Amino acid sequence: MATENPFSKLKTGTLLSAIVLFYVGCLAVFDLIAKYCQVSIDYWIKHDLIYAFECLLVLVWIRGQSKAAVLNFRLLFRATRSVSMIYLSGVTVMLIIFRAGVVVVSSSLLLFLFPVWFKSWYLERNSYSTITSQPVLDAILEIFMTVLLAPVVEELLFRGVLLNRWSMKWGIRMGVLSSSITFAIIHREVFSAFIFGFCMSLLYIKTGSLLAPIIVHGLNNAFAVAVGVLISPAFFSREAPSLNYILLAV
């Protein structure tokens, strides 16, 4: 008798629904606090806190599901000798160059074909002109979540959980495609994020370990923050050019 795949017991639809509801609920709570307690909550601090809470929600869910499904998630982080830091660094550089080129070409094409729409929607959607009132705290949260928290939690969720669950359900091709699309939806630059998610899926499949995509994800985000700081001293005041985010941030 064949052993049941433990990923078949994971209810990913419930998790995704909970994340959306949790996000909406957090926004409502922060708005109520600001309205009735007369407490001004910085926009970017609020955004960072909600993201941190959502990451905690994902980790709590994964811990609970690992017990219920008898699934040892630590096996997803097993060491592999098939890749090295030089290889992963090279992958990161190539991804950054490729995605930047794709975004520049696609943006130029859209600007040429649909100038009015592009200026009124696309550029405004990726505009970061809100000034934070607490730049030091915001800088600490931004670095922690962008470089450390996001790579671990997002790779664990999208590659560790969703890719495995949906590949078991629909096949490896649809698993890679659907998990990459879901990954792209939660990011501002959707097409660039889809490419990144697709490549991280292939890297995970190649190595059989989440360590590889986590490292590449972290290096990518660290590079984005570093470039943002070099290009604009006001990066952590949220007045940095939106191009930093459009090209690099995932």
Side-chain angles (χ1 to χ4, degrees), residues 110-126:
L110 287 173
L111 182 60
F112 176 76
L113 296 175
F114 311 102
V116 176
W117 170 81
F118 187 83
K119 291 178 181 179
S120 63
W121 179 82
Y122 191 84
L123 292 180
E124 289 180 6
R125 178 172 176 264
N126 291 283

Side-chain angles (χ1 to χ4, degrees), residues 142-219:
E142 179 72 10
I143 293 174
F144 171 73
M145 290 191 298
T146 302
V147 180
L148 299 176
L149 187 62
V152 174
V153 176
E154 291 185 8
E155 292 307 319
L156 182 58
L157 172 61
F158 291 99
R159 261 58 74 179
V161 174
L162 299 184
L163 175 57
N164 279 291
R165 175 69 178 96
W166 291 343
S167 293
M168 186 222 69
K169 187 176 182 180
W170 301 316
I172 188 65
R173 292 183 179 178
M174 282 303 300
V176 170
L177 182 62
S178 56
S179 62
S180 300
I181 291 175
T182 307
F183 177 79
I185 290 173
I186 71 166
H187 292 87
R188 295 179 178 88
E189 180 48 55
V190 177
F191 186 61
S192 178
F194 171 78
I195 294 174
F196 187 86
F198 185 84
C199 292
M200 291 304 95
S201 297
L202 297 183
L203 186 59
Y204 169 61
I205 293 171
K206 171 181 171 59
T207 62
S209 173
L210 286 176
L211 290 177
I214 285 174
I215 291 173
V216 172
H217 199 151
L219 290 174

Side-chain angles (χ1 to χ4, degrees), residues 123-149:
L123 292 180
E124 289 180 6
R125 178 172 176 264
N126 291 283
S127 176
Y128 289 78
S129 58
T130 304
I131 302 176
T132 179
S133 59
Q134 298 171 299
V136 176
L137 177 59
D138 184 58
I140 294 173
L141 289 174
E142 179 72 10
I143 293 174
F144 171 73
M145 290 191 298
T146 302
V147 180
L148 299 176
L149 187 62

Side-chain angles (χ1 to χ4, degrees), residues 41-75:
I41 303 176
D42 184 271
Y43 173 84
W44 293 106
I45 300 296
K46 178 173 67 175
H47 176 273
D48 290 342
L49 288 176
I50 292 176
Y51 182 80
F53 290 150
E54 287 189 316
C55 287
L56 179 61
L57 172 65
V58 170
L59 294 176
V60 169
W61 181 89
I62 288 176
R63 179 175 175 80
Q65 290 293 309
S66 64
K67 292 183 177 180
V70 194
L71 177 60
N72 186 0
F73 275 91
R74 286 179 295 181
L75 294 177

Side-chain angles (χ1 to χ4, degrees), residues 219-230:
L219 290 174
N220 176 88
N221 289 5
F223 182 79
V225 173
V227 169
V229 172
L230 291 174

